[in-house]
Amino acid sequence: MNVALITALALSALTASLAPDTQTERAADPAEAAQLTALAEWDKVFEVFSHPRCANCHVPADNRPRWSGASYQLTEGEWAYHGMNVDGGDSRDGRDSMPCSTCHATSNSELPHGPPGAPHWALAPVEMVWWEQSSRQICEQIKDLDRNGGRSLDEVAAHIDHDALVHWGWEPGPGREPAPHSVEETVASFTAWAEAGAPCPAE
């Protein structure tokens, strides 16, 4: 190998070692690092909100609860409408057709896959749709007073922390996969995300 080539290779290596590491620089930016941390906390919240235990009842204006997820032993990606042609109606609790309380008591059946239960069993208000929504869509919805029940983010956190029907998602009865994380972890992640400015992901 000639001297000129050795010199050129050495200069190339030196230049590369002195080049700024843009990823390190970005990570060192406090504002961007804080946003990345906040988005990581939101990812945990989205895992809960988009999980079948939550999303199956946060459905669109067709007012029909879904059956999806591992608990129903469907092929991955497949789902079904609630059996017996159940329709929550405009009331979202079935009072204008067959009340949800006809089958859903205030506590779970002890039988595997028996009727689940919790106080005030009903579909979520139609403006709170999470079914098949992206992370960004749910993030924007949960910050919108017109679509989150008129709650501040502190009040949303309190709703997660105290509402018995929300808590059912982590204690869904025998035969059903619970929502991920826990009530306490979800509240902590939601609060950390909100206190960091509540950024939404790109998608």
Side-chain angles (χ1 to χ4, degrees), residues 159-186:
H159 176 63
I160 298 169
D161 200 16
H162 301 300
D163 189 278
L165 181 53
V166 173
H167 289 188
W168 172 86
W170 288 277
E171 298 179 0
R176 294 185 182 85
E177 179 186 61
H181 310 300
S182 68
V183 175
E184 295 78 14
E185 290 168 339
T186 303

Side-chain angles (χ1 to χ4, degrees), residues 30-202:
E32 184 165 356
Q35 182 171 50
L36 291 174
T37 299
L39 288 171
E41 296 295 345
W42 168 257
D43 285 344
K44 297 173 190 176
V45 175
F46 175 68
E47 288 175 12
V48 174
F49 288 0
S50 61
H51 189 273
R53 294 293 76 73
C54 302
N56 280 354
C57 288
H58 278 258
V59 295
D62 63 11
N63 302 322
R64 300 184 66 187
R66 270 58 166 177
W67 283 355
S68 72
S71 300
Y72 296 98
Q73 300 178 342
L74 298 172
T75 302
E76 184 177 356
E78 291 187 356
W79 56 273
Y81 287 110
H82 191 300
M84 299 161 283
N85 200 32
V86 165
D87 185 331
D90 292 339
S91 67
R92 304 285 278 186
D93 64 7
R95 73 186 69 174
D96 36 11
S97 53
M98 180 175 71
C100 298
S101 58
T102 302
C103 298
H104 296 279
T106 56
S107 60
N108 293 318
S109 166
E110 296 181 0
L111 298 174
H113 293 285
H120 55 269
W121 192 274
L123 295 176
V126 68
E127 63 271 15
M128 298 182 188
V129 57
W130 295 347
W131 173 255
E132 296 188 329
Q133 299 295 291
S134 71
S135 180
R136 181 176 182 82
Q137 287 172 318
I138 295 178
C139 181
E140 291 176 341
Q141 181 262 355
I142 207 68
K143 296 193 293 182
D144 185 347
L145 294 176
D146 291 332
R147 294 185 293 152
N148 75 359
R151 298 181 177 94
S152 68
L153 293 182
D154 284 345
E155 289 170 332
V156 174
H159 176 63
I160 298 169
D161 200 16
H162 301 300
D163 189 278
L165 181 53
V166 173
H167 289 188
W168 172 86
W170 288 277
E171 298 179 0
R176 294 185 182 85
E177 179 186 61
H181 310 300
S182 68
V183 175
E184 295 78 14
E185 290 168 339
T186 303
V187 171
S189 290
F190 188 92
T191 301
W193 164 76
E195 290 179 347
C200 287

